[in-house]
């Protein structure tokens, strides 16, 4: 390490002159941009938001950034409030002038024009609004241009405008028409996703909201249960992008017992109807896996089986039929820890704690020994439900020792008698201090919080700090800077060290900011002890740290 006990001075052999030149340029910029904590007279101040991502502001460095004055406007300008953009002030312009401004603003702006046309249609009647919405949904469905992350925002705003118009302009007067429009809106999912980059998950979230809206509209429109059940089944068979994943849960109140029973019968019938296998010469290969070629009819059959199983599980949940839910899993699958936990939770909700614990205890773990949190929570809940609190407490402690879970430790301490919890907390801190995963221990101390222990951890085990993990080290440096500047410095040095050793050029700017912060913290450190000081240390291929 550059910043190890041997000091900064030996780092020249590790980094190129070019890298250090780049870092030094950023250091100068950081110095010029550093702003002292000064509050405006008579006003309060706050820090601009922190971040732990190296792709965002100076942030992750712990470098102090510009202050935002929270002091109210006191310019003395009596007209300031009259020119603020708000509805009350705009009303003073009058309808004619506002109409002229809207025409000017919407010229060349297709989105604004659509919004205005929709508002005009809604002002005439809900039927006119529905016609305008239907026209726009058809246009979106027919579009073929690919939507990248750069122009995704316009599509999201357009879709959201149509969804809200259905709910706000059509549904109050005509819930049947609104329900039909929302089904049509949901049908956009497949054509939209086929031409869209939704890496952020924004668009699928919008369709999930629309799916929930379907349930609310169905309750208002009250369609015939059997007809609604058929619509639900048709939708589930067109769920390529998971837009209908929660459809049965949302539709259950509108379906009622009769509709759910009919839907179950339809799904079971589909379960007995396999995908036809075409003549071999007509098989269509669509992929190749480790087992050889994959054909279209084989994939369609697997999708059918999966859809049937998940639909029957959702119907069982809606009907409160725990055994029906369990029946959809093969016996071997029920021993998968996450599945066992899923089953156990439903059994607990049904008041069958003994059965729940049985499923949990029969779970089988792989060679890695990883224990999912859901399984741990299910076992604890089952033990408590059975009145076996002592076993539950012992299991909480073991779970904490394994995972350093703040939640498990708090729950454990909460159930201890007075004063026993103090001793147990000290044991927990000692265990975390010696935990083999330094970053997990650091995260635990920050979350508890126990900043003194976090600082001690970094000081005593500094050689283990992995500077690549800024997501842990940035929050640590920020949290420790005020009371433990030396520990904060070690975290910052580790990140600088990694950035330069690994030649991560995109992080050079942040390394420079971290370096500037090290210089600032150095003034707060009275004694560096066994660690190298900051001032006066140089590398062979750059002009200095300060």
């Amino acid at each position: 390490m550059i910043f190890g006990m041997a000091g900064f001075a030996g780092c020249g052999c590790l980094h190129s002159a070019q890298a250090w030149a780049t870092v030094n340029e950023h250091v100068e910029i950081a110095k010029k941009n550093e702003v002292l904590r000064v509050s405006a007279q008579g006003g309060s101040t706050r820090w601009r938001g922190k971040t732990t991502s190296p792709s965002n502001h100076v942030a992750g460095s712990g470098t102090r950034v510009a202050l935002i004055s929270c002091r109210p406007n006191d310019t003395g300008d009596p007209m300031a409030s009259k020119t603020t953009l708000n509805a009350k002030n705009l009303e003073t312009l009058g309808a004619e002038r506002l109409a002229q401004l809207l025409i000017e603003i919407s010229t060349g702006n297709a989105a604004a024009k659509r919004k205005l046309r929709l508002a005009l249609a809604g002002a005439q009647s809900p039927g006119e609004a529905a016609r305008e919405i239907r026209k726009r949904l058809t246009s979106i469905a027919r579009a073929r241009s690919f939507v990248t992350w750069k122009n995704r925002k316009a599509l999201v705003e357009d879709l959201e405008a149509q969804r809200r118009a259905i709910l706000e302009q059509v549904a109050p007067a005509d819930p049947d028409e609104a329900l039909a429009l929302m089904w049509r809106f949901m049908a956009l999912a497949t054509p939209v996703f086929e031409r869209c980059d939704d890496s952020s998950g924004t668009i699928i979230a919008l369709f999930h909201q629309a799916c929930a809206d379907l349930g609310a509209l169905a309750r208002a429109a009250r369609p015939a249960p059997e007809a609604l059940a058929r619509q639900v089944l048709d939708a589930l068979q067109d769920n390529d992008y998971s837009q209908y994943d929660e459809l049965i849960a949302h539709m259950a109140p509108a379906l009622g017992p009769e509709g759910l029973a009919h839907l179950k019968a339809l799904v079971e019938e589909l379960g007995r109807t396999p995908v036809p296998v075409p003549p071999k010469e007509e098989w269509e290969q669509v992929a190749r896996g480790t087992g050889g070629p994959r054909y279209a009819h084989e994939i369609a059959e697997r999708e059918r089986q999966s859809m049937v199983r998940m639909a029957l599980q959702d119907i069982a949940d809606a009907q409160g039929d725990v055994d029906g839910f369990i029946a959809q899993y093969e016996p071997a699958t029920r021993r998968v820890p996450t599945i066992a936990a899923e089953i156990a939770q439903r059994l607990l909700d049904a008041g069958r704690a003994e059965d729940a614990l049985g499923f949990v205890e029969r779970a089988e773990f792989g060679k890695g020994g990883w224990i999912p949190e859901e399984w741990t929570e299910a076992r604890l809940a089952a033990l408590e439900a059975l009145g076996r609190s002592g076993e539950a407490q012992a299991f909480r402690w073991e779970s904490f020792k394994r995972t350093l879970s703040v939640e498990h430790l708090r729950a454990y301490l909460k159930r201890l008698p007075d004063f026993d919890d103090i001793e147990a907390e000290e044991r927990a801190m000692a265990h975390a201090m010696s935990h083999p995963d330094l970053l997990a221990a650091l995260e635990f101390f920050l979350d508890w919080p126990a900043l003194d222990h976090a600082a001690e951890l970094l000081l005593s085990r500094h050689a283990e700090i992995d500077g690549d993990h800024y997501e842990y080290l940035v929050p640590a440096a920020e949290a420790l800077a005020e009371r433990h500047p030396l520990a904060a410095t070690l975290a910052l040095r580790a990140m600088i060290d990694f950035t330069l050793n690994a030649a991560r050029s995109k992080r050079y700017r942040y390394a420079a900011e971290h370096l500037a912060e090290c210089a600032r913290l150095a003034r707060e450190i009275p004694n560096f002890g066994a660690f190298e000081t900051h001032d006066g240390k140089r590398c062979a291929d750059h002009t200095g740290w300060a």
Side-chain angles (χ1 to χ4, degrees):
M1 290 182 65
I2 299 168
F3 298 116
M5 296 180 67
F8 295 162
C11 67
C13 60
L14 297 177
H15 312 299
S16 69
Q18 183 179 3
W20 276 112
T22 304
V23 170
N24 280 325
E25 287 175 14
H26 287 303
V27 169
E28 293 306 315
I29 293 171
K31 285 181 180 178
K32 291 176 183 177
N33 290 338
E34 186 175 359
V35 179
L36 297 176
R37 306 185 200 184
V38 179
S39 299
Q41 185 175 2
S44 63
T45 56
R46 61 184 174 85
W47 291 114
R48 200 183 301 270
K50 296 178 181 178
T51 175
T52 58
S53 170
S55 63
N56 294 321
H57 89 295
V58 202
S61 62
T63 301
R64 300 297 186 251
V65 292
L67 291 169
I68 303 173
S69 174
C70 295
R71 190 178 181 183
N73 186 311
D74 61 352
T75 60
D77 181 2
M79 300 303 294
S81 62
K82 300 291 185 182
T83 57
T84 302
L85 283 177
N86 57 43
K88 184 177 180 181
N89 286 345
L90 289 172
E91 285 174 6
T92 64
L93 295 177
E96 184 176 352
R97 179 56 182 150
L98 283 173
Q100 292 172 349
L101 287 172
L102 285 172
I103 291 296
E104 291 177 18
I105 291 169
S106 64
T107 300
N109 187 330
K113 286 183 178 179
R114 285 195 296 270
K115 191 171 290 188
L116 290 172
R117 278 197 296 268
L118 189 53
L120 289 171
Q124 291 184 57
S125 70
E128 283 300 315
R131 230 183 320 276
E132 192 67 30
I133 294 167
R134 198 177 297 111
K135 194 163 66 173
R136 184 57 192 157
L137 296 182
T138 299
S139 177
I140 295 172
R142 290 176 177 172
R144 292 293 176 266
S145 57
F146 190 79
V147 180
T148 67
W149 64 270
K150 292 181 180 179
N151 53 4
R152 181 175 54 218
K153 183 179 178 182
L155 174 61
V156 170
E157 290 177 348
D158 193 2
L159 289 169
E160 178 64 7
Q162 305 310 313
R163 188 189 70 83
R164 290 178 64 87
I166 294 170
L167 295 175
E168 297 170 3
Q169 297 188 41
V170 181
D174 193 347
D176 289 321
E177 178 65 16
L179 178 60
L181 285 171
M182 195 62 77
W183 277 116
R184 192 162 180 170
F185 180 95
M186 287 298 297
L188 291 177
T190 295
V192 164
F193 283 117
E194 284 176 348
R195 64 182 185 92
C196 180
D197 168 16
D198 190 35
S199 52
S200 68
T202 306
I203 295 178
I204 190 60
L206 195 154
F207 279 105
H208 284 160
Q209 180 57 56
C211 188
D213 296 334
L214 271 177
L217 291 171
R219 290 195 296 275
R222 302 177 66 182
E226 291 192 1
L228 183 59
R230 169 53 67 181
Q231 278 186 297
V232 169
L233 180 63
D234 290 343
L236 293 174
Q237 294 179 86
D238 185 28
N239 191 29
D240 293 342
Y241 296 92
S242 302
Q243 67 270 28
Y244 289 116
D245 277 2
E246 301 297 322
L247 181 61
I248 293 176
H250 293 314
M251 284 295 189
L255 285 165
E258 180 185 349
L260 284 170
H262 187 63
L263 178 60
K264 182 177 180 181
L266 292 173
V267 174
E268 288 175 337
E269 177 60 31
L270 181 62
R272 294 188 291 268
T273 311
V275 172
V277 179
K280 192 159 187 178
E281 60 272 15
E282 297 178 15
W283 288 11
E284 180 188 358
Q285 181 177 334
V286 293
R288 176 172 286 277
T290 55
R294 304 285 176 84
Y295 297 99
H297 66 278
E298 294 174 336
I299 292 175
E301 174 62 15
R302 280 195 292 272
E303 289 175 350
R304 181 193 67 85
Q305 293 175 8
S306 177
M307 189 278 286
V308 166
R309 178 179 62 80
M310 289 189 289
L312 289 174
Q313 286 180 333
D314 288 345
I315 293 169
D317 275 344
Q319 294 177 324
D321 181 6
V322 182
D323 294 313
F325 178 89
I326 296 171
Q328 298 310 311
Y329 287 118
E330 296 293 330
T333 306
R334 299 171 198 172
R335 292 192 288 273
V336 174
T338 52
I339 302 299
E342 194 178 9
I343 292 171
Q345 190 56 59
R346 285 165 172 77
L347 289 166
L348 285 167
D349 293 341
R352 296 165 59 182
E354 195 70 54
D355 290 340
L357 185 60
F359 272 97
V360 169
E361 299 289 14
R362 288 192 294 273
E364 297 175 354
F365 299 91
K367 294 180 180 179
W370 176 70
I371 300 177
E373 183 61 20
E374 304 97 311
W375 182 88
T376 299
E377 292 295 340
R379 186 169 190 268
L380 285 169
L383 288 170
E384 290 288 1
L386 292 168
R388 294 159 62 174
S389 300
E391 290 180 60
Q393 271 292 75
F395 185 56
R396 279 190 190 91
W397 178 250
E398 289 303 317
S399 298
F400 161 73
K401 288 173 64 178
R402 185 182 70 254
T403 65
L404 296 186
S405 164
V406 167
E407 291 74 21
H408 286 317
L409 181 58
R410 289 199 193 285
Y412 177 79
L413 296 177
K414 182 180 178 180
R415 290 166 171 78
L416 291 178
D418 290 343
F419 303 111
D420 286 0
D421 58 336
I422 298 174
E423 181 184 348
E425 183 175 347
E426 290 174 354
R427 281 192 291 118
M429 297 299 122
H431 173 76
M433 189 66 68
S434 61
H435 195 275
D437 187 339
L438 178 134
L439 292 175
L442 180 62
E443 183 178 36
F444 166 76
F445 287 133
L446 294 177
D447 290 345
W448 185 252
L451 298 186
D452 290 350
H453 287 87
E456 182 185 347
L457 180 77
L458 292 176
L459 292 171
S460 62
R461 298 171 60 180
H462 63 276
E464 300 174 40
I465 303 174
D466 184 348
D468 186 25
H469 290 282
Y470 58 84
E471 70 274 19
Y472 294 92
L473 299 178
V474 165
E478 291 177 345
L480 296 172
E482 185 175 352
R483 290 180 52 197
H484 303 281
L486 179 55
T489 296
L490 294 181
L492 294 168
R493 288 179 177 182
M495 288 187 284
I496 299 169
D497 213 15
F498 174 83
T499 296
L500 297 176
N501 275 329
R504 296 290 179 87
S505 58
K506 290 184 179 180
R507 297 191 189 181
Y508 285 169
R509 177 163 70 92
Y510 305 101
E513 291 159 0
H514 293 157
L515 189 57
E517 178 69 355
C518 284
R520 190 193 69 80
L521 290 174
R523 298 191 291 270
E524 310 294 329
I525 302 172
N527 183 1
F528 277 81
F531 300 98
E532 285 290 337
T533 61
H534 185 85
D535 295 334
K537 298 302 177 184
R538 295 173 177 272
C539 282
D541 54 359
H542 74 99
T543 57
W545 295 100

